[in-house]
Amino acid sequence: MHRAYAIAVDRSTYQYAPTPWEQESWQDAALAWVADRLAERGLRMGGDLAVRLRPWSVLVRVPVEGRNAVWFKANPPAGAFEGPLTAALARWVPGQVLEPLAVDAERAWVLLPDGGELFRSVLSRAPVEPRAWEDLLHQYASLQQAVTPHAHEIERLGVPSTRTLDLPSAFDRLLTHNTALLPETRARLERLRPRLTDWCAELASAGIEDTLDHADLHDGQLFRPAPGRYTFFDWGDAAVSHPFCSLRIPVEKARARYGPQVLPRLLDAYLEAWTAPGRTAADLRRAAHLAWRLSALGRAASWGRTFPDPSRTASGDEHSAESLLDLLNEPPF
C-alpha cells in the first residue's frame, strides 16, 4: 500500500510488547478501513499519523482534511466489546460519551471523533478546584444509574460480568491462573477468601444494583468540553459489577493532587446520587468502603485483556498480582 504520509510510533516503555501493528498487512487493512469510513462521510485523510502502541490497544490519530482529526482504535480480542459498548452508550446517554463514527465489532476496531481537551490537560494548564472532581463524580454516577436497566444488554455485548455475588468465583479464577504470585503471597490471599465472601454478601445486601463499571476512570479518560461537563471514553477495562467499584481510581487521583482532606467531599459528591429511602449516609459509606477494596478484582482481571503474545505465557500476570495484593490493604476511610 503506497503511503503519502509519515507515521510516528510511540511505544512508551513497551518496546517489545507485540501488537498487530507489526504486521504490514494488518496496517494496510486498518488504514484502508479508516479511509473508506471517512470517504463514506465525504472526508479524506489529511496528514501524518501518530500511532500509540500498548499491549492493550493500538491507537492512531488520523488528521482529516478540513476538520478535526479522528482516532482509530484496535482492541485485543478480550476487549472487542469496546466499540459496540461505546455505540450503545451513545444511544443510552447521548452527549456523555463519544459517539463512534464507525465500529467493526468482528475485528475489534472503532473510529472515534476528537473529543476535545482532556481533563488531564486542563489540570496541567492551570489550578483546578476540587469542585471539578465533585462534578465529574456526580455526572458519572448519573450515567451509571441511567444505564443500569441495560446491564444485561451490556453483558450480551461481551462486556465481562463480575457481579457482586460472583466476585468470590472471580477471585478463585484469578488466583488459579496467575503465575506471578509468590507462594507466601498466594497463601495470604487464600486466607482472605472467607472474609472476601462476607464482604461481597454485605455489599450486595445494600440493595444497589450492579451496573457498568468503567474500572479505569482517571483524568486521562475524560474530556472536559465545558466547565462542569465531562465526556467519558476508553471503556476497554469495563465490566458489569457494583457501581461503587468505579470510585477508587478517580478519588485516588484527586487525593494525590489535593491531599487526604478532599476525600470526604468527593465521597459525598458521588454517593449523593445513590441516596434512597431507608438508605443512610452511613450505609452508603460502608458500601463504598467494601467496593473500594473489592475493585482490586476488576483491575486484576483487566490485565488479561492484552494482545496475545506467544513468547510469554504470563502476560499481565505481574500487574494482575499487584492488583490482587490491594485486597490486603484497608481503604482510607
Side-chain angles (χ1 to χ4, degrees), residues 125-144:
R125 190 177 66 248
V128 174
E129 292 296 317
R131 176 58 187 269
W133 296 78
E134 296 173 44
D135 291 341
L136 79 85
L137 286 169
H138 192 82
Q139 181 184 332
Y140 176 70
S142 297
L143 179 154
Q144 288 182 298

Side-chain angles (χ1 to χ4, degrees), residues 64-92:
V64 177
E65 292 181 358
R67 55 159 286 171
N68 290 339
V70 297
W71 296 83
F72 166 81
K73 184 175 183 181
N75 288 83
F81 60 80
E82 184 178 1
L85 172 62
T86 304
L89 291 174
R91 297 192 301 271
W92 298 330

